[in-house]
Amino acid sequence: MARLTILEHREIADNMRWLLFEAPKDLQYQPGQFLHIRVTDGVDHLLRRPISLCKVDGGRKALGVAYRVGGKGTKLLAGKNVGDTLDVLGPLGKGFKLHEGDRHAILVGGGIGVPPMVELADQLHRNGVKVTAIVGFQSKSVAILIDDLKQYGDVLVSTNDGSLGRQGFVTDYMTDELLASADRFYACGPTPMLRAVQAKMEGRVAGYLSLEERMGCGIGACMACVTSCRLADGSIGYKKVCKDGPVFPAPEVYFA
Amino acid sequence: MARLTILEHREIADNMRWLLFEAPKDLQYQPGQFLHIRVTDGVDHLLRRPISLCKVDGGRKALGVAYRVGGKGTKLLAGKNVGDTLDVLGPLGKGFKLHEGDRHAILVGGGIGVPPMVELADQLHRNGVKVTAIVGFQSKSVAILIDDLKQYGDVLVSTNDGSLGRQGFVTDYMTDELLASADRFYACGPTPMLRAVQAKMEGRVAGYLSLEERMGCGIGACMACVTSCRLADGSIGYKKVCKDGPVFPAPEVYFA
Amino acid sequence: MIDLSVNIGSLKLKNPVMPASGCFSFGKEYADFYDLSQLGAIVVKATTLEPRLGNPTPRVAETPGGMLNAIGLQNPGVEKVIAEELPHLRKYDIPVIVNVAGTTVEDYVAVTERLMDSEDVDAIEVNISCPNVKCGGIQFGTDPAQAAHVTESIKKVSKVPVIVKLSPNVTDIVSMAKAVEAAGADAISMINTLVGMSIDLNRKKPLIANGVGGLSGPAVKPVAVRMTYQVAQAIQIPIIGMGGIMDGEDAIEFLMAGAAAVAVGTANFVNPLACPEIIDGIRQYCEQNGVASVSDLTGVAWK
Amino acid sequence: MIDLSVNIGSLKLKNPVMPASGCFSFGKEYADFYDLSQLGAIVVKATTLEPRLGNPTPRVAETPGGMLNAIGLQNPGVEKVIAEELPHLRKYDIPVIVNVAGTTVEDYVAVTERLMDSEDVDAIEVNISCPNVKCGGIQFGTDPAQAAHVTESIKKVSKVPVIVKLSPNVTDIVSMAKAVEAAGADAISMINTLVGMSIDLNRKKPLIANGVGGLSGPAVKPVAVRMTYQVAQAIQIPIIGMGGIMDGEDAIEFLMAGAAAVAVGTANFVNPLACPEIIDGIRQYCEQNGVASVSDLTGVAWK
Ligand SMILES: Cc1cc2nc3c(=O)[nH]c(=O)nc-3n(C[C@H](O)[C@H](O)[C@H](O)COP(=O)(O)OP(=O)(O)OC[C@H]3O[C@@H](n4cnc5c(N)ncnc54)[C@H](O)[C@@H]3O)c2cc1C
Ligand SMILES: Cc1cc2nc3c(=O)[nH]c(=O)nc-3n(C[C@H](O)[C@H](O)[C@H](O)COP(=O)(O)OP(=O)(O)OC[C@H]3O[C@@H](n4cnc5c(N)ncnc54)[C@H](O)[C@@H]3O)c2cc1C
Ligand SMILES: Cc1cc2nc3c(=O)[nH]c(=O)nc-3n(C[C@H](O)[C@H](O)[C@H](O)COP(=O)(O)O)c2cc1C
Ligand SMILES: Cc1cc2nc3c(=O)[nH]c(=O)nc-3n(C[C@H](O)[C@H](O)[C@H](O)COP(=O)(O)O)c2cc1C
Ligand code: FES
Ligand code: FES
């Protein structure tokens, strides 16, 4: 837990913002982890907002996130200025696991599920893994981070309305050929997308899904954020998105 | 009701602050009226804080108040910066009445009751009324606005601990001679002080007392801020500090 | 054009928003801020048979997301209310709802009878739930049988719709609502304040002179919405929902929970323009969400 | 040196601050933030006879100044709690209080009996007030006779102090407290959450999957302080006060209202260091106000 200073804060698409923090000392992190951010010091918005790590800039010792301004809390957040400090917990949770020996990874991001793919792509790229990023958005006006991803590999874009890239869904890009060439996939986005990706990849490519759930504590103590998982013994049980996730091996995730 | 921009905001004594607003358009006001200020746009501090008008600067079209940083709301207020805007209602209530023909007025202020005396002194002074201001504070470290008052007349200072001016109470300055020379008195400060001033002046000098009470609406609708008064028919009844006051003719005020 | 009108029994309101009793006095003060004809109705401060001084001060305290009050039914008595307060409201083209309080059933009946002599009363709101009056009021608000008895007695003498205002300080609000419905109430308003207390650390005593006070404001909204949701499913008569409404979205929440109209209390103190802004907010929501008539929203959360 | 120690029945606490049940799981997570030995005691998550999955998600929602939760008593069951969760708490030199929940009196008794086999249980907190469990729990929390019955039954089998946790969702909390005192409770903890609801305007449905949830946080503090103040004057056994405590001053408010100790729930989510900071805040208040022993503060607001 620390008060982090805002270094940059700007709009990057309609109601989408980029926020760069000064990194806390001795920063330990994995791509896919999240920050748990208080949006005000007052009591009118008590619960922290979970936002994924998007980019860590080691040189500048800075930590970037990208978020959508939607509800009351993120609206307050959007009003914070460079130089202001925010109460931030984290990075928290289990992030994406990188596997030695992988040569080609497919990264799938939908909407506000795209941000964690940037740091992941960077790390894979540095490890010599070929990156193919497939990203989907509602429309061009809310598309984010495409240029950032292009630094690390191919980026395939789809939008629901066809205003950017191909019209359709991220899964439309998942040809047999592409899947056959990949060692791993990593996905983050809305539940319908994750469900489709899980189905598409099952038995073909091993990978990970990053989930969302409303959170209380963010550290595993309140049981708010549970999600159904296939447990080791084959039964269906709850795991905590904040502590056991947000990233889970894809076969573990059970969509009812 | 308006959002007013902060032009100046600085400490003027221990935990005492000066706050200057841009004046609202078509400002109508009397000395002794108050502003009803929201300290945050959130819901954690719902009730507005009543703060007396201290000084109106017609040339700069600005409105100044002086306040003590005490509880949670004024602490939040103290964090606002020049350029920020605040939601302000007012000026509200009934202020001090100036009487034609008066030649000498005694102004009595205790602690945070001193601020409204500044604008009053200015107006009296401009009307050719001689001003004697008697002000009392806990100690030197919290004494405020003495130099401002000196522009308009004599200022007699007392402190509880003797660290500035005479040690003792404001009433110690109220000699028979002084009272005999005065046409009017105006007082604002803590209840024990007002009670003593009322007793001292009774039957000798006509004047006004400005009262404090916890407020809800500030405009006369909620009945939160009532105070006991001698009504026209001689009975004791409630009047509203926010609407019928905060300034009352001294004989009307009934201290139980 | 969105149809904002709603019916509360035989009362027709041009929109579902009214000030809550006790938070708007008799309207004069807010008339300085806007034309009261914009409102759906006006609900005036609690009126008793004899004048009442109410409680000593401090009468209000701020709490996190809310406030406590213990005004204690200060009012000039029904005679003066009829003679001096109500007539000036005639010039606004809106129903006037008079909040009635008392210590005994006879009190309530007497005030109502007296109000029936006035042309200026369009409905009665029976305040059986004021937590700030030591004797009286509160037992009517917590016992279904007594609530039914006072409702019945008032219904016998009232020529205008009778709205019964429920207290949230009960184990089972649904049985309270059913009891007053069975006793003939034309509508229910809910909720009055939750009984609360703040302690002044300096004086080491309750901050409010009365000790306890009534909690209102956004803090209580989840309790009010829950009770509205439960009661609406159990009764047929309309509900005026309230408790912490600050903006149009809060009002929509109550409508979806099952309220036919809403009342706005504490928000008036925060923002004197709260009522007209909430009306605008409701209209905007309807426009943006294709709602043709605001009454279509009532109870959609469970229908 | 300020004496921060307090007694809850035969339990000696080094200071009056403990986490509230359900807000601290079994302590492991917060042990990453500070040494749990600093606490006055630890209260663990509700434990039932069989494992429970709890309610579907969403299980929490933010409300103004508070939050709703409907976790629904998710827990691994008493066997696993004894085997896997409690032993690691032994290394902290503080009493362990186990929150017990169930659907029938037999459930409560069975869990308690089983817990008596463990060396790691210093007190039982009887959760008769969880609003998030459809059948069971709630009726014990709203009916004095049933509350007394479950208290008595547990007292018969418990070898450690029995604390009964009261629900605020009642008309008369004082009679609940008196009933469980008469039935042998060693202490009372209060309050559990108020039943509330938020409606999701987009989905036009209650936001929490369970429909209703329990309201906690600063929003409920005035209700909790009021109830503590009323109950403390009516009973002889000590009270553990809670509801919206965020800092040392809030804790002092509960002590002055009549609590002997306090519990901290929601604040842990806002600030993982809430408990140690509240202990510091209490110590500071005592220093600055010449309070030699924190237990001197209990009930000063009415004594
Ligand atoms: C692990 C994780 C990582 C995330 N990463 C990102 C990211 O990188 N960029 C981004 O824009 N968004 C991200 N989200 C979603 C983000 O947390 C929500 O959009 C945000 O909390 C909504 O807050 P609000 O103030 O706009 O909405 P409000 O409606 O005011 O929120 C009220 C409460 O509900 C919770 N809440 C509301 N919507 C969601 C949601 N969809 N998921 C979880 N909690 C919710 C809030 O956290 C808060 O507690 C992530 C969510 C999770 C769980
Ligand atoms: C007509 C009037 C004029 C005033 N003028 C000034 C002034 O010029 N300068 C100045 O420093 N103070 C003035 N005060 C007092 C000032 O309003 C309070 O000190 C201030 O509201 C306390 O707020 P807080 O956030 O510090 O305290 P908190 O304890 O956080 O306040 C909580 C609530 O209690 C109310 N409250 C607390 N103390 C008082 C009090 N003493 N009087 C009235 N309400 C109170 C607050 O308004 C708020 O609603 C005036 C009061 C009144 C009634
Ligand atoms: C200052 C104040 C005075 C009130 N007086 C009355 C009253 O006289 N009669 C009544 O039925 N309710 C009274 N109430 C309760 C409100 O009408 C309303 O039920 C409650 O405040 C909840 O709504 P809110 O959260 O919008 O304020 C009063 C509330 C406040 C804050
Ligand atoms: C997420 C959450 C889970 C809870 N679980 C339990 C529980 O298992 N047993 C119980 O007795 N109380 C439970 N409570 C209630 C708290 O212990 C406490 O009584 C209540 O939250 C009020 O305190 P607070 O405002 O400090 O949170 C829970 C509260 C929350 C917020
Ligand atoms: S948010 Fe509390 S356990 Fe995950
Ligand atoms: S503060 Fe509402 S009447 Fe004075």
Side-chain angles (χ1 to χ4, degrees):
Chain A
M1 202 179 45
R3 282 202 82 91
L4 301 187
T5 305
I6 300 177
L7 301 176
E8 298 176 5
H9 197 182
R10 61 168 186 273
E11 193 150 279
I12 51 174
D14 279 5
N15 286 322
M16 297 290 317
R17 296 194 141 241
W18 164 256
L19 176 58
L20 190 75
F21 290 111
E22 200 177 326
K25 284 201 205 318
D26 311 317
L27 177 67
Q28 303 282 324
Y29 71 97
Q30 303 163 341
Q33 284 187 302
F34 67 95
L35 301 179
H36 214 25
I37 304 178
R38 267 195 94 178
V39 293
T40 161
D41 291 327
V43 301
D44 34 353
H45 297 282
L46 277 185
L47 297 182
R48 292 168 180 270
R49 267 56 177 175
I51 306 285
S52 301
L53 264 189
C54 173
K55 192 74 208 75
V56 179
D57 182 337
R60 291 180 58 190
K61 302 212 169 177
L63 210 71
V65 299
Y67 68 96
R68 177 164 59 210
V69 183
K72 292 183 176 173
T74 46
K75 266 179 203 142
L76 264 179
L77 194 57
K80 303 292 174 182
N81 298 313
V82 169
D84 289 350
T85 63
L86 287 173
D87 179 346
V88 177
L89 207 57
L92 298 176
K94 290 212 171 56
F96 293 112
K97 196 171 166 205
L98 276 66
H99 291 260
E100 248 177 277
D102 278 4
R103 279 164 309 160
H104 181 198
I106 303 176
L107 277 52
V108 191
I112 53 169
V114 174
M117 295 301 151
V118 177
E119 176 64 25
L120 175 64
D122 185 4
Q123 294 205 5
L124 288 167
H125 178 72
R126 273 188 273 156
N127 287 4
V129 182
K130 178 181 171 207
V131 169
T132 301
I134 310 178
V135 294
F137 303 97
Q138 289 286 333
S139 79
K140 188 180 170 179
S141 65
V142 294
I144 50 169
L145 301 169
I146 294 174
D147 290 338
D148 300 75
L149 285 168
K150 281 190 178 152
Q151 298 178 261
Y152 313 115
D154 291 342
V155 183
L156 307 170
V157 182
S158 66
T159 51
N160 293 13
D161 63 1
S163 55
L164 189 74
R166 213 190 266 183
Q167 199 219 316
F169 302 105
V170 288
T171 39
D172 298 344
Y173 281 112
M174 297 178 187
T175 57
D176 291 347
E177 200 190 328
L178 180 69
L179 299 199
S181 76
D183 302 300
R184 196 80 49 192
F185 82 91
Y186 300 94
C188 182
T191 304
M193 183 198 99
L194 294 182
R195 187 199 305 263
V197 172
Q198 190 193 44
K200 196 93 185 178
M201 297 294 186
E202 199 184 338
R204 305 177 74 178
V205 189
Y208 297 90
L209 301 177
S210 180
L211 304 183
E212 254 188 44
E213 204 43 79
R214 288 194 178 233
M215 291 185 179
C217 65
I219 61 170
C222 75
M223 316 279 171
C225 66
V226 295
T227 193
S228 295
C229 281
R230 268 176 251 271
L231 305 184
D233 64 3
S235 67
I236 305 297
Y238 280 142
K239 293 206 170 187
K240 300 174 204 161
V241 169
C242 71
K243 182 96 178 178
D244 304 318
V247 176
F248 294 90
E252 269 191 22
V253 176
Y254 177 79
F255 293 113
Chain B
M1 200 179 46
R3 282 203 84 92
L4 301 186
T5 306
I6 300 177
L7 302 175
E8 298 176 8
H9 197 182
R10 61 168 186 274
E11 193 151 279
I12 51 174
D14 278 7
N15 286 323
M16 296 292 314
R17 295 194 143 241
W18 164 256
L19 176 58
L20 190 75
F21 290 111
E22 201 179 323
K25 284 200 206 317
D26 311 319
L27 177 67
Q28 304 281 324
Y29 71 96
Q30 304 163 339
Q33 283 188 302
F34 67 95
L35 301 179
H36 214 26
I37 305 177
R38 267 195 94 178
V39 293
T40 159
D41 292 327
V43 300
D44 34 354
H45 298 282
L46 276 186
L47 297 182
R48 291 167 180 271
R49 268 56 177 174
I51 306 285
S52 302
L53 266 188
C54 173
K55 192 75 209 70
V56 178
D57 183 337
R60 292 180 58 191
K61 303 213 166 169
L63 211 72
V65 299
Y67 68 95
R68 177 165 57 210
V69 184
K72 291 185 178 172
T74 47
K75 266 180 204 142
L76 263 180
L77 194 57
K80 303 293 174 182
N81 298 314
V82 170
D84 289 352
T85 64
L86 287 173
D87 179 347
V88 177
L89 208 56
L92 298 175
K94 290 211 170 55
F96 293 112
K97 194 168 167 210
L98 276 67
H99 292 259
E100 248 177 278
D102 279 5
R103 279 165 308 163
H104 181 197
I106 303 176
L107 276 54
V108 190
I112 55 169
V114 174
M117 295 302 150
V118 176
E119 177 63 24
L120 176 63
D122 185 3
Q123 294 205 4
L124 289 166
H125 178 72
R126 273 188 273 155
N127 287 2
V129 183
K130 179 180 171 208
V131 169
T132 302
I134 309 178
V135 294
F137 302 97
Q138 290 285 334
S139 80
K140 188 179 171 180
S141 65
V142 294
I144 50 169
L145 302 169
I146 295 174
D147 289 338
D148 301 75
L149 285 169
K150 280 189 180 154
Q151 299 177 262
Y152 313 114
D154 290 343
V155 183
L156 307 170
V157 182
S158 65
T159 50
N160 293 12
D161 63 2
S163 53
L164 189 72
R166 213 191 265 183
Q167 199 219 313
F169 301 104
V170 287
T171 41
D172 300 343
Y173 281 112
M174 296 177 189
T175 57
D176 291 346
E177 201 191 329
L178 179 72
L179 299 199
S181 76
D183 303 300
R184 197 78 50 191
F185 81 90
Y186 301 93
C188 183
T191 303
M193 183 198 98
L194 294 181
R195 187 199 304 264
V197 172
Q198 191 195 43
K200 195 94 185 180
M201 298 294 186
E202 200 184 336
R204 305 178 75 179
V205 189
Y208 296 90
L209 301 177
S210 180
L211 305 183
E212 253 188 45
E213 203 44 77
R214 287 193 179 234
M215 292 185 179
C217 65
I219 60 170
C222 75
M223 314 281 170
C225 65
V226 295
T227 193
S228 294
C229 281
R230 267 175 252 272
L231 304 183
D233 64 3
S235 68
I236 305 298
Y238 281 143
K239 291 205 169 189
K240 299 174 203 160
V241 169
C242 71
K243 181 95 177 178
D244 304 318
V247 176
F248 294 91
E252 267 190 24
V253 176
Y254 177 79
F255 291 114
Chain C
M1 257 306 279
I2 313 255
D3 181 6
L4 288 182
S5 71
V6 299
N7 296 332
I8 300 294
S10 59
L11 286 187
K12 310 235 168 286
L13 315 191
K14 65 181 91 155
N15 68 61
V17 178
M18 63 194 82
S21 175
C23 302
F24 212 72
S25 199
F26 295 93
K28 268 195 218 93
E29 295 75 17
Y30 289 95
D32 291 346
F33 289 88
Y34 59 91
D35 178 359
L36 303 187
S37 301
Q38 291 179 55
L39 295 170
I42 184 165
V43 186
V44 302
K45 174 89 194 138
T47 301
T48 53
L49 197 54
E50 304 295 331
R52 293 221 194 169
L53 271 181
N55 293 319
T57 61
R59 290 176 166 190
V60 293
E62 189 179 77
T63 69
M67 64 176 282
L68 292 169
N69 90 80
I71 308 297
L73 299 182
Q74 178 178 350
N75 83 96
V78 68
E79 293 306 329
K80 276 209 174 161
V81 167
I82 291 173
E84 297 172 15
E85 304 287 359
L86 298 181
H88 87 100
L89 292 172
R90 266 308 102 180
K91 63 173 168 289
Y92 307 108
D93 172 31
I94 49 172
V96 174
I97 302 175
V98 178
N99 186 276
V100 170
T103 311
T104 62
V105 176
E106 292 69 38
D107 283 352
Y108 283 96
V109 170
V111 177
T112 306
E113 280 180 326
R114 193 62 199 84
L115 287 170
M116 291 306 109
D117 301 338
S118 163
E119 292 289 293
D120 301 326
V121 180
D122 298 300
I124 301 281
E125 181 178 53
V126 188
N127 181 356
I128 54 166
S129 49
C130 183
N132 297 323
V133 186
K134 285 267 155 55
C135 68
I138 193 80
Q139 73 268 36
F140 296 116
T142 57
D143 177 27
Q146 294 205 47
H149 178 44
V150 73
T151 305
E152 237 162 42
S153 310
I154 292 175
K155 271 300 281 183
K156 278 194 197 127
V157 297
S158 176
K159 300 172 203 138
V160 296
V162 173
I163 303 159
V164 180
K165 185 158 178 181
L166 299 186
S167 164
N169 303 291
V170 294
T171 306
D172 181 5
I173 189 130
V174 170
S175 63
M176 291 296 303
K178 283 183 170 166
V180 302
E181 178 183 47
D186 298 288
I188 277 173
S189 58
M190 57 188 290
I191 58 172
N192 211 315
T193 52
L194 282 162
V195 185
M197 177 181 285
S198 257
I199 290 175
D200 182 336
L201 296 196
N202 295 321
R203 291 175 34 253
K204 301 190 173 66
K205 289 279 161 234
L207 202 154
I208 299 248
N210 185 52
V212 300
L215 182 65
S216 63
V220 310
K221 193 182 65 169
V223 174
V225 169
R226 181 267 294 182
M227 290 183 166
T228 302
Y229 182 93
Q230 291 174 332
V231 168
Q233 293 175 68
I235 62 172
Q236 304 300 321
I237 53 177
I239 296 174
I240 301 168
M242 75 193 86
I245 295 176
M246 300 297 283
D247 59 25
E249 296 196 352
D250 292 338
I252 301 283
E253 224 183 313
F254 277 86
L255 299 178
M256 288 184 174
V262 297
V264 177
T266 304
N268 294 294
F269 310 157
V270 181
N271 173 10
L273 298 175
C275 287
E277 289 182 5
I278 289 167
I279 296 167
D280 279 350
I282 294 175
R283 186 182 291 112
Q284 261 174 45
Y285 174 91
C286 290
E287 274 164 17
Q288 286 163 9
N289 292 274
V291 179
S293 168
V294 76
S295 60
D296 293 344
L297 288 172
T298 295
V300 293
W302 48 265
K303 268 176 188 166
Chain D
M1 257 307 279
I2 315 263
D3 181 7
L4 288 182
S5 71
V6 299
N7 295 332
I8 301 293
S10 60
L11 285 188
K12 310 234 169 287
L13 315 192
K14 66 181 90 155
N15 68 61
V17 178
M18 62 193 83
S21 175
C23 301
F24 212 72
S25 199
F26 295 93
K28 267 196 218 95
E29 294 77 15
Y30 288 95
D32 290 346
F33 288 89
Y34 60 91
D35 177 0
L36 303 186
S37 301
Q38 291 181 55
L39 295 169
I42 185 165
V43 186
V44 301
K45 175 87 194 141
T47 302
T48 53
L49 197 54
E50 303 295 331
R52 291 222 196 169
L53 270 181
N55 293 318
T57 61
R59 289 176 166 190
V60 293
E62 189 179 77
T63 69
M67 63 176 283
L68 292 169
N69 90 79
I71 307 298
L73 300 183
Q74 178 178 350
N75 83 96
V78 66
E79 292 307 328
K80 274 210 174 158
V81 167
I82 292 173
E84 296 172 16
E85 302 289 358
L86 299 181
H88 87 100
L89 292 172
R90 266 308 100 182
K91 63 175 167 291
Y92 308 108
D93 171 31
I94 49 173
V96 173
I97 302 175
V98 178
N99 187 276
V100 171
T103 310
T104 61
V105 175
E106 292 69 39
D107 283 352
Y108 283 97
V109 170
V111 177
T112 307
E113 280 180 327
R114 193 61 198 84
L115 286 170
M116 291 307 109
D117 300 338
S118 164
E119 292 288 291
D120 300 327
V121 180
D122 298 299
I124 300 281
E125 181 178 52
V126 188
N127 183 356
I128 55 166
S129 50
C130 184
N132 297 323
V133 185
K134 284 267 153 58
C135 68
I138 193 80
Q139 72 267 36
F140 296 117
T142 57
D143 177 28
Q146 293 205 49
H149 178 46
V150 72
T151 305
E152 237 163 43
S153 310
I154 292 174
K155 271 301 282 184
K156 279 194 194 124
V157 296
S158 176
K159 298 172 202 139
V160 296
V162 173
I163 303 159
V164 180
K165 185 159 179 182
L166 300 186
S167 165
N169 303 291
V170 295
T171 307
D172 181 5
I173 189 131
V174 170
S175 64
M176 293 295 304
K178 282 183 170 166
V180 302
E181 178 183 45
D186 299 286
I188 277 172
S189 57
M190 57 189 288
I191 57 173
N192 211 314
T193 52
L194 282 162
V195 184
M197 178 182 285
S198 257
I199 290 175
D200 183 335
L201 296 196
N202 295 321
R203 290 175 35 253
K204 300 189 173 64
K205 288 279 162 234
L207 201 155
I208 299 247
N210 186 52
V212 300
L215 181 65
S216 63
V220 310
K221 193 182 66 169
V223 174
V225 169
R226 182 267 294 182
M227 290 183 165
T228 302
Y229 182 92
Q230 291 174 333
V231 168
Q233 292 174 67
I235 61 172
Q236 305 301 320
I237 53 177
I239 296 174
I240 301 168
M242 74 194 87
I245 295 176
M246 300 296 285
D247 57 27
E249 296 196 351
D250 293 338
I252 301 284
E253 223 183 313
F254 277 86
L255 298 177
M256 288 184 174
V262 297
V264 176
T266 305
N268 293 294
F269 308 157
V270 180
N271 173 11
L273 297 175
C275 287
E277 289 182 5
I278 288 167
I279 297 167
D280 279 351
I282 294 174
R283 186 183 290 112
Q284 262 173 42
Y285 174 90
C286 290
E287 273 164 17
Q288 285 162 8
N289 292 275
V291 178
S293 168
V294 77
S295 59
D296 294 343
L297 289 171
T298 296
V300 293
W302 48 266
K303 266 179 188 165

